[in-house]
Amino acid sequence: MRSPVILAFALGALFCGPVMAEPDQPTRMGADKEKTVYVQLIVKACPAAETPLEPTNQGKIYDNEKSLTPEERKAALVSLGCIDVPVPMEFLADAMSPNACIGRGGFMAAMQFLQQRQDLHDFPAVGSWHCVISDHEVIGASTM
């Protein structure tokens, strides 16, 4: 006699639980599920590197080497003559997610963009890229 009541109560809680939840509740990270985010990609375009004819770092010992800090990396890229180039949002085709921008997708988009721009033929290499994630669309000269 008790098992049908418990079963009915469990089924009722199972089916009514999601219906009774409020649809405007934020997700786990505090952002709405339907909230649109826009990704702006900024490329650090660098001149083509010259390749030496002799092997580099042959016999080098890396025991006492330390990695560069972000400030040191930025200074090194500036000393090479790299420039910042924003990628228009139309080029990204609104399909770039924040995770894709930070990873391989951002690098590939930056590389393709630099290859297509004829005025940047002196800066074909991607030194680094930076993703700016915002809740509004970036308005530039091409969208005005």
Side-chain angles (χ1 to χ4, degrees), residues 37-98:
V37 294
Y38 296 96
V39 178
Q40 174 68 39
L41 181 64
I42 300 173
V43 180
K44 184 75 77 172
C46 297
E50 296 180 18
T51 56
L53 297 176
E54 58 189 49
T56 58
N57 295 336
Q58 207 169 33
K60 184 173 177 128
I61 299 171
Y62 290 95
D63 291 341
N64 297 326
E65 294 289 322
K66 66 176 183 94
S67 61
L68 297 175
T69 64
E71 291 80 23
E72 291 172 337
R73 271 186 255 135
K74 288 177 187 176
L77 289 173
V78 169
S79 68
L80 289 173
C82 300
I83 59 173
D84 287 333
V85 179
V87 177
M89 294 187 94
E90 299 87 33
F91 182 80
L92 299 175
D94 299 328
M96 182 72 67
S97 69

Side-chain angles (χ1 to χ4, degrees), residues 88-128:
M89 294 187 94
E90 299 87 33
F91 182 80
L92 299 175
D94 299 328
M96 182 72 67
S97 69
N99 288 338
C101 181
I102 293 170
R104 183 176 187 271
F107 174 74
M108 295 302 291
M111 196 169 61
Q112 291 171 357
F113 178 72
L114 291 179
Q115 287 176 353
Q116 290 182 7
R117 289 274 305 262
Q118 295 300 320
D119 58 337
L120 294 173
H121 70 278
D122 292 335
F123 301 94
V126 176
S128 66

